[in-house]
Amino acid sequence: MKAPVRVAVTGAAGQIGYALLFRIAAGDMLGKDQPVILHLLEITPALPALQGVVMELNDCAFPTLAGIVATDDVNVAFKDVDYALLVGARPRGPGMERKDLLEANGAIFGPQGKALNDHAKRDVKVLVVGNPANTNALIAQQNAPDLDPRCFTAMVRLDHNRALSQLAEKTGKHTTTIRKVTIWGNHSSTQYPDLHHATVEGKPALSLVDPAWYESDFIPTVQQRGAAIIKARGASSAASAASAAIDHMRSWALGTDEGDWVSMAIPSDGSYGIAPGVIYGYPVTCKDGKYTIVQGLEINDFSRARMDATDKELREERGGVEHLFAK
Ligand code: NAX
């Protein structure tokens, strides 16, 4: 067994938290040889429920669970953490405008960014799941001036996995035969699920499906999948979101497969004409705990328009939260 690492999870008593913590504790995220100390953050009224989750975690007697810190103090939650999964967020309430939603989340992710800045390990890997995930990640990043901006990422891996599953179903092949799917941009309905570089059993994906299916069925289905789950289940995606969060962190920490890539929302750096300043979904490979944007992909007019539309939305969101950035 390696020395334990510290993994913070916010919103730990929520529904994604309940699907996530047991898998992290069981070694699904960082490996069966990597003990973890869980740092669980909740708001004060949810502490009793969180205690119940802690009791259940202990009752699993996981070999890789080396300790639990449960708290409502963000400074305790992020002390010396190596990984931080920011799941807790303010959902949109009845009559709430987009502006109010961004503001309410700013009040969560600004202080959390500052606490990470002050207390986390200098190479902390931060994944924001709570929506609006990309812009919440940006707020946290902009309140952590002493950390490398690249420590902050947001989750488009659920969208990536949804794209794999739709394409697998259409082609009658297993998801494991699919490579090089990309989710560009925002985790919202403007995201662009791109199959132009994807392969199924080594064949170009777009040679196996009707272009009309790709444009009018696949893209909107992936974009609207979250809403479809809410309609069917009466609650938002939880186990699949938790599973995608595990996938995101595992790829980042342990690396991506040779000949494939994953989608991560990361600070834009001008690659593919997306100017710096937003947290944008890109195709990336990971090695030795670092991610690198896949370069040199050909982008046609169809893709360009969609990549720019989701970028535009992210910059509008940014415009609504810039006053929350640390000076
Ligand atoms: P729940 O409402 O079940 O749980 C959220 C938990 O966060 C609650 O227990 C709440 O007490 C806690 N919380 C609120 N403010 C907090 C704070 N300041 N510090 C610590 N904890 C706090 O929501 P759940 O279904 O778990 O979803 C969590 C977030 O994930 C939501 O914002 C949701 O929109 C987002 N999602 C993101 C997805 C993605 O792909 N990026 C997909 C799934 C999900 O919709």
Side-chain angles (χ1 to χ4, degrees):
M1 283 280 184
K2 301 175 183 168
V5 293
R6 295 179 183 273
V7 181
V9 179
T10 73
Q15 57 151 359
I16 293 176
Y18 196 71
L20 180 61
L21 297 175
F22 297 85
R23 292 193 54 197
I24 298 175
D28 286 0
M29 188 169 93
L30 298 171
K32 301 282 179 195
D33 59 345
Q34 178 60 71
V36 295
I37 300 170
L38 289 175
H39 286 220
L40 309 180
L41 181 69
E42 259 298 348
I43 52 174
T44 313
L47 284 180
L50 184 60
Q51 267 318 313
V53 177
V54 170
M55 287 156 71
E56 282 204 78
L57 280 163
N58 286 328
D59 290 350
C60 292
F62 288 122
T64 39
L65 183 56
I68 303 177
V69 176
T71 180
D72 59 359
D73 181 344
V74 72
N75 297 308
V76 173
F78 293 154
K79 180 89 186 124
D80 295 331
V81 296
D82 302 277
Y83 300 87
L85 294 91
L86 310 187
V87 178
R90 179 75 191 277
R92 191 189 286 248
M96 207 173 177
E97 301 287 334
R98 185 179 190 80
K99 191 172 139 286
D100 305 328
L101 182 73
L102 288 169
E103 197 74 36
N105 278 298
I108 296 174
F109 288 87
Q112 289 187 357
K114 184 174 186 320
L116 285 163
N117 187 66
D118 294 348
H119 301 293
K121 292 268 177 61
R122 296 302 85 182
D123 60 351
V124 62
K125 291 180 167 56
V126 182
L127 166 62
V128 176
V129 174
N131 280 321
N134 301 52
T135 296
N136 287 341
L138 182 68
I139 296 169
Q141 181 208 50
Q142 293 295 326
N143 282 278
D146 304 331
L147 291 174
D148 182 339
R150 287 168 50 86
C151 293
F152 290 85
T153 70
M155 190 163 94
V156 288
R157 186 63 171 266
L158 178 54
D159 311 294
H160 181 102
N161 289 346
R162 287 166 171 167
L164 291 177
S165 115
Q166 289 301 315
L167 182 59
E169 197 177 314
K170 183 70 179 173
T171 55
K173 306 291 181 193
H174 196 267
T175 51
T176 50
T177 67
I178 302 174
R179 307 268 181 277
K180 300 185 177 176
V181 163
T182 306
I183 304 295
W184 299 96
N186 201 2
H187 169 68
S188 76
S189 58
T190 68
Q191 65 173 269
Y192 171 44
D194 183 4
L195 292 184
H196 286 88
H197 314 283
T199 60
V200 183
E201 290 183 334
K203 298 186 202 76
L206 290 181
S207 71
L208 301 173
V209 298
D210 181 356
W213 174 81
Y214 172 54
E215 197 174 333
S216 312
D217 198 333
F218 173 84
I219 293 177
T221 298
V222 175
Q223 288 172 332
Q224 304 294 339
R225 187 69 161 180
I229 304 265
I230 292 175
K231 190 157 174 265
R233 210 173 81 86
S236 58
S237 327
S240 56
S243 197
I246 299 251
D247 289 346
H248 176 115
M249 283 303 211
R250 194 184 51 234
S251 295
W252 191 357
L254 305 181
T256 45
D257 292 338
E258 199 55 47
D260 200 4
W261 66 59
V262 297
S263 305
M264 284 171 71
I266 60 173
S268 55
D269 66 352
S271 296
Y272 296 102
I274 307 301
V278 293
I279 306 286
Y280 190 91
Y282 277 108
V284 301
T285 55
C286 304
K287 199 173 178 221
D288 301 327
K290 303 222 167 342
Y291 57 77
T292 308
I293 297 174
V294 175
Q295 296 292 345
L297 298 175
E298 211 173 296
I299 305 297
N300 63 17
D301 291 347
F302 180 92
S303 294
R304 185 76 260 163
R306 283 160 181 76
M307 288 162 66
D308 289 346
T310 189
D311 181 35
K312 181 165 175 278
E313 181 184 54
L314 281 169
R315 281 173 213 278
E316 282 163 11
E317 289 186 14
R318 181 189 162 104
V321 300
E322 272 174 338
H323 63 289
L324 302 168
F325 295 177
K327 296 291 170 286

